[in-house]
Amino acid sequence: MTSEALSKGYEPADVEARWIAYWQDEKTFTPDPDGPGEPYSIVIPPPNVTGALHMGHALNVTIQDILCRYHRQRGRKVLWVPGTDHAGIATQNVVERKLAAEGTSREELGREAFIERVWAWREEYGGKILNQIKRLGASVDWTRERFTFDEGLSRAVREVFVRLYEEGLIYRGDYIINWCPRCHTALADLEVEYAPHIGKLYHIRYPVEGMEDTFVTIATTRPETLLGDTAVAVHPDDERYKEFVGKHVILPLVGRRLPIIADAYVEREFGTGCLKVTPAHDMNDFELGRKHGLDVIAVQDEAGRINENAPEKYRGLDRLEARKAVIEDLKELKLLDDIRDYEHNVGECYRCRTVIEPYVSKQWFVKTGPLAKAAREAVEHGRTAILPDQWTKVYYDWLDNIRDWCVSRQIWWGHRIPAWTCDACGELIVSREDPTECPACGGTLLTRDPDVLDTWFSSALWPFSTMGWPDETRELKTFYPTSVLVTAFDILFFWVARMMMMGLHFMHEVPFRQVYIHALVRDAEGKKMSKSLGNVIDPLVMVDRYGTDSLRFTLAAFAAMGRDIKLSEERIEGYRHFINKLWNAARFALMHVGDGAPATPLAEAARNGLCHAMILSRLERLKETVGRTIEGYQFNEAAQELYAFFWREFCDWYLEMAKVDLGGEDAAKKGAAKRVLLTVLSEVLTLLHPFIPFVTQEIWSKLPETADPNLARMPYPPARPELVSDAAEADMELVKAVVVGVRNIRAELNINPGVKLTALVHTENEAQAAALTANASMIAFLAKLERFEAGPEVTAPKASASTAAGTCALFVPLSGAVDFDVEYLRLSKEEVKTVKELTVVEKKLGNDDFVSRAPAEVVAKEREKQDALGERLARLRELKERIKKLMAE
């Protein structure tokens, strides 16, 4: 392969589009299940078809892609499965809003026509987020893209439902569930999001039957539900109410007799210590009612309106209208004792933010007890590890307190429950195939259950349904269980635990060996990003502005395990400079290596110069560190090591040193420099590729001597332990210390860069002297010296500046290089200016009014400024003292 020159500047847009198409055309990321290598697999958390890429997605995809590209380099056959979720309620809501804008509704269309509209919407918009994920460079196998409504996945869902039903793990029954009056559907406990509300606590007096002017007072936040009360409960040890247990009260506004029962569930300290029991409209009351055999009287319908079970006056009222009416009527009857402000958490629908209502209806449930036990034990026994470990306890807590999972939803878009009822005899039929007649009576009029399954039911099967289950496929045999799941903490319960339950039950094996929970991406101040705060950073805008690689590397550089990422556009822009640095360094290298480098063995090349030995040794350490940190999910450490090596060691030092040999006349040294330069550049590109795939691939395509033009197929650079040299690295640190010392003296004393200096180094021993003397020409070149000397016998000359260089002492004679009078005057002026600036800051911080009123971050910045100015002033005064001494000498 012949090298081609890189363009002057890196233009990411054209490069990214070209390599995305190339990798896809080449099927670079399509593994052969029967091919060589150990399997490594990941299933992408399927985003909703309604979704748009946000920064959490960008972080999630970046982490998964780093893992997949890295493990391909390590010789694994990697499968990364992409796909989307049909997202039942979310998608139905989107399409319903569209229909409303057209002046119609799903009810007017009918079920079949509505489903057709949803499919049409999905065809038009459903691939949007996957195309956005492509832009991030995700190395997924697009030939295996799946959708939770694919024919194969639908078959898996039906098979799972029927098997669980046959095993007695799915049942149908009247039960209290979370109900969204807006979406008209049941919600699982985890689909209810709680938000703080300032509400009211109403104290209502219930007359005690047979005891004139005697009342028990209950406290409630939902007085409208008293229309469905079937008891009043008190704690058995509450002395205030002992005489009332076993008696009855008369339900205000209704007149129904309610028993007064005793139960230790009642909290004596809450409210009045007397609890109204409404089994149809409160989760805990429902359990209390079952325990005491109470009636269940529902007084609200599916839309949250008062129904026929309540007095006629209230029927048809919305729940909030009914609340007002009930309160007014209680006031009129003098049964409202008190109203107090009360802050409490209120459950809302996770999709539409409507306040949910507990509601008793016939629903389908999964018995989670035995499934949860297996899912817990799998983590306890180390079959699956959750990282960071802090999330393991959260996982256990949820499984220990799990309730049966309500899996039926009263919507139209979703996997229809495969259950039919015989119209003739009432037989319930659950079947893998659509039945044509009743197995009990032979009747042919069968009515299918109108409900669909919870979206998370099909998502729970994702690790094995995407690989072809229930068929025994090559993919399942090779790639299940998957290697790792990368996800956010907010779906640890929604999805992760349920996948564990289903995977263990149907595959008899955990769905993944590790679960990596990545942190949140917050704004620069650590606040959660939200549209209302106006602090959202759009990843696609950042990609357009700075390129995909800049965004990916920024996210990786801050992706510390268990620590949220504070992101700003400035940080992304900063890492674009790193991308440009890589590009410019590659241009420099390509100009010097041309069509290739001599086949000089690296060990021999290392002997041709300290800089070559040092950079090759550091490269070996880098390879070990990057591999170890990626496998330990320490992406920030891997990224930061790569950044530090490339920018500081390779660009700042090695390239500057290598210029001497590259531009010299010694053919052996020039050949060795070319060989090392090309080796380091190509291997660093390979190490960086999982983090920044596009710019590395583009540069790689221009390199000479590459075995494969497709960098994504290249193996991890081989280890060469024989090139690790502690001595070379130590000698180079000493050389660098001398060069930096001279540069610092030049800068502090404002010495013209064109002035050639003399540098003298007092060493501790002859070994140090030998190392410095052997590299004297390099030191003179980098520090711009006309003379250099090192040895134990070197002493400090008069009128010289001095500093430490490692464990050595560095002296730079200043006679003729510095006009002491002029320099003393300059430092004095700087001192006066700094004192003025410091006085202003100190005055501001000494003002109590400013400190108390200014935002904390403003005060913190002023304190930082104070510290910086103080340090600067101390340094200026130290330099003045040094100049005075030099003048005296």
Side-chain angles (χ1 to χ4, degrees):
M1 180 176 178
T2 303
S3 67
E4 302 173 32
L6 291 172
S7 60
K8 188 172 182 181
Y10 176 58
E11 299 296 336
D14 294 339
V15 169
E16 290 167 10
R18 179 158 30 88
W19 290 114
I20 287 170
Y22 173 83
W23 287 324
Q24 195 160 341
D25 291 344
E26 291 283 309
K27 290 188 170 54
T28 302
F29 310 124
T30 299
D32 178 1
D34 300 324
E38 288 295 312
Y40 184 88
S41 56
I42 296 180
V43 289
I44 200 168
N48 292 351
V49 287
T50 59
L53 193 72
H54 57 66
M55 204 55 83
H57 287 127
L59 173 62
N60 186 277
V61 169
T62 296
I63 288 172
Q64 289 178 83
D65 196 46
I66 290 170
L67 290 169
C68 287
R69 289 181 185 268
Y70 168 78
H71 283 286
R72 282 191 199 93
Q73 292 179 338
R74 289 298 197 181
R76 303 276 193 90
K77 50 186 173 192
V78 174
L79 174 62
W80 185 12
V81 179
T84 49
D85 195 303
H86 67 279
I89 295 175
T91 304
Q92 179 157 314
N93 281 346
V94 168
V95 178
E96 284 196 75
R97 284 197 295 270
K98 196 167 191 234
L99 291 175
E102 297 170 9
T104 186
S105 66
R106 68 180 169 110
E107 289 80 9
E108 287 183 26
L109 282 180
R111 186 164 191 147
E112 287 188 14
F114 177 74
I115 296 300
E116 286 178 10
R117 284 295 298 268
V118 180
W119 274 111
W121 180 90
R122 191 258 173 179
E123 290 302 313
E124 187 173 354
Y125 298 105
K128 178 182 175 184
I129 193 166
L130 288 181
N131 288 327
Q132 293 171 344
I133 287 172
K134 273 185 186 178
R135 289 196 64 189
L136 287 176
S139 60
V140 299
D141 181 1
W142 293 109
T143 68
R144 289 183 169 95
E145 179 188 333
R146 305 310 299 267
F147 177 47
T148 51
F149 236 153
D150 283 349
E151 183 180 345
L153 272 69
S154 297
R155 184 161 67 94
V157 168
R158 191 154 174 172
E159 177 66 27
V160 165
F161 186 93
V162 174
R163 279 201 208 175
L164 289 174
Y165 180 78
E166 291 172 345
E167 295 168 3
L169 291 173
I170 277 186
Y171 63 93
R172 185 173 66 163
D174 288 326
Y175 201 81
I176 193 163
I177 44 85
N178 304 295
W179 182 265
C180 176
R182 156 65 184 79
C183 298
H184 286 196
T185 186
L187 299 174
D189 291 346
L190 292 173
E191 292 171 322
V192 178
E193 294 184 352
Y194 290 89
H197 279 250
I198 302 294
K200 302 290 184 183
L201 192 62
Y202 302 89
H203 289 224
I204 303 169
R205 301 197 295 170
Y206 285 35
V208 179
E209 184 184 50
M211 300 178 69
E212 191 174 350
D213 294 328
T214 302
F215 305 87
V216 292
T217 303
I218 63 91
T220 180
T221 59
R222 300 160 69 218
E224 70 280 4
T225 64
L226 73 77
L227 303 172
D229 284 0
T230 57
V232 167
V234 297
H235 194 281
D237 298 330
D238 195 330
E239 294 294 334
R240 294 173 294 176
Y241 301 110
K242 272 196 171 181
E243 65 174 300
F244 298 112
V245 175
K247 292 183 168 56
H248 289 76
V249 296
I250 304 301
L251 180 61
L253 310 180
V254 178
R256 190 162 54 243
R257 291 176 76 239
L258 308 182
I260 301 175
I261 62 174
D263 196 287
Y265 164 75
V266 179
E267 294 181 38
R268 285 177 283 183
E269 295 76 20
F270 175 76
T272 63
C274 190
L275 178 74
K276 64 187 281 298
V277 184
T278 321
H281 296 286
D282 184 274
M283 298 289 186
N284 296 314
D285 289 6
F286 182 81
E287 297 297 337
L288 202 59
R290 291 213 299 185
K291 180 178 177 181
H292 291 272
L294 301 176
D295 290 336
V296 178
I297 302 174
V299 293
Q300 290 184 21
D301 65 13
E302 295 179 354
R305 293 186 297 266
I306 305 302
N307 64 17
E308 69 281 357
N309 294 330
E312 187 172 350
K313 175 180 181 179
Y314 306 106
R315 293 174 190 171
L317 294 179
D318 174 77
R319 53 187 169 156
L320 296 181
E321 293 173 339
R323 180 177 298 178
K324 292 177 184 176
V326 164
I327 292 303
E328 288 304 313
D329 291 346
L330 289 170
K331 282 181 181 176
E332 190 173 327
L333 293 170
K334 295 185 172 30
L335 294 176
L336 187 64
D337 192 51
D338 193 12
I339 304 175
R340 302 177 185 176
D341 287 337
Y342 180 61
E343 184 175 352
H344 60 134
N345 289 325
V346 175
E348 298 175 341
C349 173
Y350 79 112
R351 294 310 314 176
C352 69
R353 315 310 305 180
T354 300
V355 174
I356 62 101
E357 283 290 337
Y359 185 71
V360 175
S361 66
K362 198 172 289 295
Q363 301 286 343
W364 291 90
F365 294 86
V366 173
K367 286 183 182 176
T368 52
L371 300 175
K373 182 174 182 289
R376 193 190 205 283
E377 288 175 350
V379 174
E380 283 180 326
H381 298 158
R383 294 165 67 190
T384 293
I386 299 176
L387 305 168
D389 186 58
Q390 71 200 56
W391 292 108
T392 305
K393 183 180 183 302
V394 179
Y395 173 83
Y396 289 157
D397 287 347
W398 183 72
L399 288 176
D400 291 343
N401 295 286
I402 194 171
R403 297 199 312 173
D404 284 357
W405 174 16
C406 177
V407 293
S408 46
R409 297 290 179 270
Q410 289 67 51
I411 57 176
W412 290 352
W413 173 246
H415 294 280
R416 189 89 173 261
I417 290 176
W420 291 257
T421 303
C422 175
D423 293 354
C425 70
E427 178 75 6
L428 180 64
I429 307 157
V430 173
S431 175
R432 291 172 177 80
E433 306 294 334
D434 292 3
T436 55
E437 65 176 40
C438 175
C441 71
T444 57
L445 292 176
L446 309 176
T447 301
R448 187 167 187 177
D449 193 307
D451 291 354
V452 301
L453 285 164
D454 176 12
T455 294
W456 297 102
F457 189 91
S458 52
S459 298
L461 319 180
W462 189 249
F464 55 92
S465 64
T466 52
M467 296 187 193
W469 189 91
D471 294 335
E472 295 182 8
T473 63
R474 292 189 307 159
E475 283 80 5
L476 274 174
K477 182 180 178 183
T478 303
F479 295 111
Y480 189 92
T482 63
S483 305
V484 64
L485 175 77
V486 178
T487 189
F489 71 87
D490 55 345
I491 53 175
L492 181 61
F493 320 127
F494 275 116
W495 192 45
V496 178
R498 288 167 175 169
M499 283 190 288
M500 287 287 285
M501 290 191 285
M502 293 300 191
L504 285 161
H505 192 74
F506 289 96
M507 296 298 296
H508 311 295
E509 181 56 279
V510 293
F512 19 73
R513 297 298 184 195
Q514 293 178 313
V515 178
Y516 177 72
I517 307 290
H518 63 70
L520 287 176
V521 184
R522 299 181 179 273
D523 72 7
E525 305 300 322
K527 296 175 184 173
K528 189 173 181 179
M529 292 187 189
S530 71
K531 290 180 181 177
S532 61
L533 291 175
N535 62 348
V536 172
I537 302 175
D538 188 327
L540 294 173
V541 172
M542 296 299 100
V543 165
D544 289 338
R545 205 167 280 170
Y546 304 112
T548 298
D549 290 328
S550 301
L551 174 63
R552 285 175 56 124
F553 201 81
T554 306
L555 291 170
F558 290 97
M561 188 182 290
R563 193 169 70 227
D564 288 348
I565 293 173
K566 292 182 180 180
L567 188 67
S568 66
E569 183 171 346
E570 290 73 22
R571 283 180 165 173
I572 299 168
E573 183 179 15
Y575 280 107
R576 183 185 63 174
H577 298 319
F578 175 67
I579 304 301
N580 289 338
K581 186 81 169 178
L582 176 62
W583 185 262
N584 292 330
R587 288 186 75 232
F588 171 86
L590 286 171
M591 281 191 294
H592 284 280
V593 300
D595 291 335
T600 309
L602 289 175
E604 181 183 327
R607 291 191 290 272
N608 268 284
L610 177 62
C611 64
H612 307 317
M614 177 277 297
I615 201 68
L616 289 171
S617 180
R618 295 293 302 127
L619 178 63
E620 289 308 306
R621 297 190 197 276
L622 178 71
K623 287 187 278 192
E624 188 279 327
T625 300
V626 170
R628 173 174 45 79
T629 51
I630 290 178
E631 292 184 15
Y633 302 100
Q634 297 163 305
F635 305 102
N636 62 313
E637 291 188 28
Q640 288 160 13
E641 287 288 332
L642 284 162
Y643 181 97
F645 174 88
F646 188 79
W647 194 299
R648 297 179 196 135
E649 298 188 65
F650 184 69
C651 293
D652 287 355
W653 288 102
Y654 178 72
L655 290 186
E656 291 304 308
M657 294 175 175
K659 284 177 183 177
V660 175
D661 289 344
L662 290 169
E665 299 300 323
D666 188 318
K669 287 185 176 293
K670 181 180 287 191
K674 284 187 176 184
R675 173 51 54 203
V676 174
L677 179 58
L678 187 56
T679 298
V680 176
L681 177 61
S682 63
E683 294 196 352
V684 168
L685 288 174
T686 309
L687 295 174
L688 280 166
H689 183 69
F691 296 83
I692 46 175
F694 294 113
V695 67
T696 51
Q697 173 64 74
E698 181 69 7
I699 296 170
W700 181 268
S701 70
K702 309 296 184 184
L703 292 186
E705 302 180 11
T706 53
D708 189 327
N710 191 345
L711 178 54
R713 287 196 293 245
M714 290 300 295
Y716 198 79
R720 304 184 188 92
E722 70 279 5
L723 295 179
V724 175
S725 173
D726 293 336
E729 292 183 40
D731 287 350
M732 181 55 72
E733 286 305 307
L734 182 57
V735 168
K736 286 159 67 174
V738 170
V739 173
V740 169
V742 174
R743 288 174 176 175
N744 286 343
I745 288 171
R746 189 186 290 272
E748 287 179 349
L749 298 177
N750 202 31
I751 300 172
N752 190 300
V755 174
K756 295 279 189 178
L757 300 174
T758 293
L760 309 172
V761 178
H762 172 77
T763 62
E764 291 184 312
N765 50 56
E766 291 295 344
Q768 290 177 331
L772 291 174
T773 302
N775 292 280
S777 60
M778 182 68 67
I779 293 170
F781 171 73
L782 294 173
K784 297 180 180 177
L785 304 176
E786 62 179 357
R787 176 171 167 256
F788 176 74
E789 183 182 337
E793 71 286 349
V794 169
T795 56
K798 289 184 178 181
S800 65
S802 64
T803 189
T807 59
C808 302
L810 168 67
F811 309 107
V812 176
L814 298 176
S815 297
V818 177
D819 186 321
F820 297 130
D821 293 327
V822 170
E823 185 58 20
Y824 190 85
L825 181 61
R826 183 186 71 82
L827 291 171
S828 297
K829 288 179 179 178
E830 281 292 315
E831 181 185 9
V832 171
K833 180 183 174 185
T834 303
V835 167
K836 285 181 180 178
E837 290 179 16
L838 183 58
T839 302
V840 170
V841 174
E842 287 177 339
K843 190 174 180 181
K844 194 181 287 186
L845 289 171
N847 185 332
D848 292 338
D849 191 48
F850 168 78
V851 173
S852 61
R853 294 191 178 196
E857 57 267 25
V858 172
V859 175
K861 284 181 180 177
E862 289 297 320
R863 294 197 192 284
E864 288 175 12
K865 189 175 179 182
Q866 180 186 33
D867 292 342
L869 287 168
E871 290 175 10
R872 181 175 159 198
L873 183 61
R875 186 64 178 149
L876 286 168
R877 286 170 174 169
E878 180 188 337
L879 287 170
K880 282 182 67 180
E881 284 302 311
R882 286 174 65 182
I883 293 291
K884 281 174 74 174
K885 288 181 182 178
L886 290 169
M887 291 168 72
E889 292 177 2

